[in-house]
Amino acid sequence: MATATIERFSIEEFLERERNKDLLRFSTAGSVDDGKSTLIGRLLYDTQSVYEDQVRSIEGKGTTAPGQIDFALLTDGLRAEREQGITIDVAYRYFSTAKRKFIIADTPGHEQYTRNMATGASTADATVVLIDASKGVLVQSRRHAYIASLLRVRHVVVAVNKMDLIGYDESTFRAIEKDFRAVLARIAQNTGTAVDALFVPVSALAGDNVVHRTGSMPWYDGPSLLEVLESLPSSRTTQDEAFRFPVQRVVRPNHTFRGFAGQIASGNIRTGDAITVQPSGRTANIQRIVTWDGDLKEAHAPLSVTLVLDSEVDISRGDLITTAQSPAQVSSHVTGSVVWMDGHALEIGRKYLIKHTSHTAPAVVTTLEHRTNVATLEYGPAATLEMNDIGTVRLRLLRPMALDAYAENRTTGAFILIDPQTNGTVAAGMVTGIALSEQPDDAPDAWGHVTAGEREARWGHRGGVLELSGSSILINVIERSLFTIGVISARVNSESDPFLLHPSLLETLTSVQTQSGILTLLIRESDSDELIARVENESISVDASEPMRALSEVHQLLHRAGIFVSAERANL
């Protein structure tokens, strides 16, 4: 009689298999109510990554129909989240399949919590962007995709959710795919990050194409969302990059030991290697690599170790230890892309604190180069950045720092800006440019020449020529209104004798004033019953007997012509 062979379970073998699985970190992104939390809940449920008591605790609760499970409750744990049906904070979840391990950052879709989305995506290797099939591509979906690209997330999985609401219509899915591919291509062009995009039609509520492929969409023959996630390249390794070791603490337990503790951000180090301490530039060699379990001959990212040097070198928290062959760049002038996270707008010329790895120093935003219009993905001039705005700024650091471009190193290329009065984080930034030339702080041109962008940021308007023809009283009213809101203007009578005798003189004068950021009021007084205003090729005609309407029309004309660059003036 044959006997059945019962395979013996070995906990050691199981743990060894788990240790050998690679890891993928991914975040969710998209607009509010696109179904991100529901999708993650469904993913956890269908992969049997939740306990039965967790499922029982949410049965009959939430916003779904009776008899259905609200899978969003598996990730939305805050009371406010469950009451409002939205995600507020980043929820980190771990699950594992037979092929790999995953860490999910379920991020909020509401515009107010965009800063939390940026936090969740900062450590991600891939991003799952959800799009509601019934709504199409929304502005917040564009904003999240743009931030993910700024953070160098190269793999984007676009899950077109709620396909059940549109009857699993293929044409709608293809239209969304075409639209968002164009958006991603434009984002990649702006940020310099090539995006590998995959599109999957899903229904998180019904479970279609989340973990298992179903027959609801026979026209789709691609992989399910989980199959895509299992096939993406594993977590990026930083061991082959240049060695970077931000010093977090000087360890001095007794007079015989002095070490420098921290986590290796990238690369590897061996005993005997020559190192450079930045920004001081002092050099030494690695004598010991100390850990709790004993000394190592070699260490690599992301290990936390204590380095002991063979000579006495002045090193403190915030210094960066690199190999002598591949040092970072030391500079006081940095250009970076920032996501503004504070309710108070950016102030050009104000002193903030910049926190870079373990180093904190004062910094001044000297220039706002441009702001990104998330709806059109175009750059435009701006006077400031409001909450959730994305722009490029120039910073002057009041103490030099050792940095890398974010494209080369995500750790030493990232920074945050802090309000020194409230100690709150106001912006997250990625280094895009580092000025190598240094000047002493007391040099006359240490701040450089005043640029057109700086003038626009300070005054809230660009240089230009506003031609006004009409009653002198109404022209005076218009000039006074511009002066009241802070416009830097110069009044020029085009019929003055010098300009009539030398027409080129008027052209030269207005050109110089425009380049200097000044709005020239080129006036021609008359007794006409109408006011004619012109900026470049656009003109308006307004009844002079309605001064308030004339004021409003002139302000709107300046806005349309791009003279007014601040939202406040555009609304006056």
Side-chain angles (χ1 to χ4, degrees):
M1 179 177 177
T3 58
T5 302
I6 300 177
E7 185 176 352
R8 178 178 172 273
F9 175 78
S10 171
I11 186 63
E12 291 80 10
E13 293 178 1
F14 171 78
L15 293 176
E16 183 64 24
R17 287 196 300 270
E18 287 296 308
R19 279 193 294 265
N20 290 333
K21 288 180 183 178
D22 63 358
L23 173 69
L24 181 78
R25 297 175 181 267
F26 71 92
S27 65
T28 61
S31 189
V32 66
D33 289 333
D34 280 347
K36 295 181 293 300
S37 297
T38 302
L39 179 76
I40 298 306
R42 167 65 75 174
L43 193 61
L44 296 173
Y45 181 82
D46 285 358
T47 56
Q48 299 180 346
S49 300
V50 290
Y51 296 109
E52 291 183 4
D53 60 336
Q54 289 179 283
V55 177
R56 285 197 299 268
S57 70
I58 64 172
E59 288 179 345
K61 300 178 181 179
T63 58
T64 54
Q68 292 183 327
I69 297 176
D70 189 347
F71 293 106
L73 298 182
L74 291 174
T75 55
D76 290 343
L78 299 178
R79 177 181 295 179
E81 293 178 323
R82 297 193 174 194
E83 289 176 350
Q84 300 180 58
I86 63 173
T87 302
I88 296 174
D89 201 1
V90 182
Y92 291 95
R93 292 292 182 267
Y94 168 87
F95 77 101
S96 177
T97 67
K99 294 185 178 180
R100 77 181 344 163
K101 295 179 287 189
F102 300 91
I103 295 178
I104 314 168
D106 182 27
T107 68
H110 199 286
E111 183 176 355
Q112 180 180 348
Y113 305 111
T114 298
R115 58 188 181 277
N116 294 356
M117 176 271 161
T119 300
S122 62
T123 58
D125 307 299
T127 294
V128 177
V129 179
L130 265 76
I131 297 177
D132 188 332
S134 63
K135 298 178 181 177
V137 181
L138 303 178
V139 171
Q140 188 69 345
S141 302
R142 294 169 178 258
R143 179 180 283 109
H144 280 196
Y146 198 100
I147 293 173
S149 183
L150 280 178
L151 292 168
R152 314 300 289 182
V153 179
R154 300 180 183 277
H155 303 287
V156 174
V157 183
V158 183
V160 182
N161 192 25
K162 304 185 182 181
M163 291 295 296
D164 52 315
L165 295 184
I166 61 169
Y168 301 101
D169 181 53
E170 180 183 9
S171 61
T172 302
F173 171 75
R174 299 301 178 191
I176 292 174
E177 179 181 10
K178 180 180 179 182
D179 185 12
F180 206 59
R181 280 195 185 277
V183 170
L184 292 174
R186 182 62 183 273
I187 290 174
Q189 181 181 357
N190 286 3
T191 63
T193 302
V195 177
D196 179 20
L198 295 170
F199 288 76
V200 183
V202 301
S203 171
L205 189 62
D208 298 309
N209 286 343
V210 179
V211 172
H212 308 290
R213 283 176 278 181
T214 66
S216 300
M217 291 169 278
W219 45 267
Y220 175 75
D221 57 0
S224 68
L225 176 64
L226 180 61
E227 290 171 335
V228 170
L229 294 173
E230 288 181 328
S231 65
L232 291 177
S234 58
S235 294
R236 68 184 70 194
T237 176
T238 59
Q239 297 180 22
D240 296 330
E241 298 177 1
F243 178 72
R244 298 290 184 265
F245 184 82
V247 176
Q248 297 180 11
R249 183 183 179 188
V250 179
V251 180
R252 193 67 185 256
N254 54 60
H255 70 281
T256 64
F257 184 92
R258 184 167 179 260
F260 309 101
Q263 183 180 34
I264 301 176
S266 62
N268 57 77
I269 195 72
R270 300 176 182 86
T271 56
D273 283 355
I275 60 95
T276 299
V277 181
Q278 295 184 294
S280 67
R282 296 182 178 89
T283 60
N285 294 300
I286 299 294
Q287 185 180 69
R288 295 175 59 191
I289 303 174
V290 181
T291 70
W292 177 261
D293 297 320
D295 287 12
L296 301 176
K297 295 294 184 183
E298 180 180 357
H300 55 76
L303 291 178
S304 295
V305 297
T306 298
L307 301 181
V308 179
L309 308 182
D310 64 351
S311 60
E312 291 293 332
V313 179
D314 183 14
I315 301 176
S316 58
R317 174 180 170 85
D319 286 344
L320 185 69
I321 297 178
T322 69
T323 55
Q325 297 82 7
S326 303
Q329 300 181 56
V330 177
S331 179
S332 297
H333 303 272
V334 178
T335 302
S337 296
V338 298
V339 181
W340 197 256
M341 300 178 171
D342 194 47
H344 297 285
L346 166 69
E347 296 181 39
I348 304 297
R350 183 187 173 189
K351 184 185 294 183
Y352 294 94
L353 296 177
I354 180 172
K355 183 171 178 57
H356 172 262
T357 63
S358 56
H359 190 185
T360 303
V364 176
V365 180
T366 60
T367 306
L368 172 57
E369 292 194 343
H370 60 255
R371 178 174 56 195
T372 301
N373 185 324
V374 181
T376 63
L377 300 178
E378 294 180 349
Y379 296 151
T384 186
L385 293 178
E386 304 284 351
M387 179 180 282
N388 300 325
D389 280 345
I390 301 170
T392 297
V393 299
R394 291 184 183 179
L395 299 168
R396 176 171 172 80
L397 315 182
L398 302 190
R399 289 200 303 267
M401 280 187 174
L403 315 97
D404 293 296
Y406 189 83
E408 300 173 0
N409 193 303
R410 292 178 79 176
T411 300
T412 54
F415 63 88
I416 62 173
L417 294 180
I418 300 171
D419 186 331
Q421 295 182 348
T422 64
N423 205 34
T425 300
V426 298
M430 289 67 69
V431 176
T432 58
I434 304 172
L436 298 181
S437 59
E438 293 293 334
Q439 293 176 311
D441 289 344
D442 58 352
D445 57 346
W447 293 81
H449 70 279
V450 178
T451 66
E454 289 176 290
R455 298 181 196 276
E456 293 171 15
R458 174 65 61 83
W459 298 336
H461 67 84
R462 304 168 67 182
V465 179
L466 171 63
E467 299 180 47
L468 296 171
S469 177
S471 164
S472 61
I473 296 177
L474 186 52
I475 291 176
N476 292 341
V477 171
I478 292 172
E479 182 183 14
R480 173 63 62 178
S481 73
L482 295 173
F483 179 79
T484 301
I485 62 174
V487 173
I488 308 301
S489 63
R491 181 167 176 163
V492 176
N493 189 338
S494 62
E495 295 182 332
S496 298
D497 290 341
F499 300 133
L500 295 176
L501 295 173
H502 306 283
S504 60
L505 179 61
L506 180 61
E507 182 180 353
T508 301
L509 176 63
T510 56
S511 176
V512 169
Q513 292 186 158
T514 297
Q515 292 175 12
S516 300
I518 297 172
L519 176 62
T520 302
L521 306 182
L522 195 59
I523 67 169
R524 183 178 293 106
E525 298 178 0
S526 69
D527 297 328
S528 174
D529 294 333
E530 65 175 356
L531 173 79
I532 299 176
R534 177 189 299 274
V535 178
E536 297 178 347
N537 296 323
E538 184 174 356
S539 63
I540 58 172
S541 177
V542 187
D543 189 342
S545 64
E546 301 181 61
M548 296 309 298
R549 181 190 170 192
L551 282 179
S552 176
E553 292 286 344
V554 169
H555 282 239
Q556 290 302 315
L557 172 64
L558 292 170
H559 172 54
R560 292 194 302 272
I563 301 298
F564 286 168
V565 296
S566 67
E568 292 82 359
R569 289 196 173 88
N571 294 327
L572 291 173

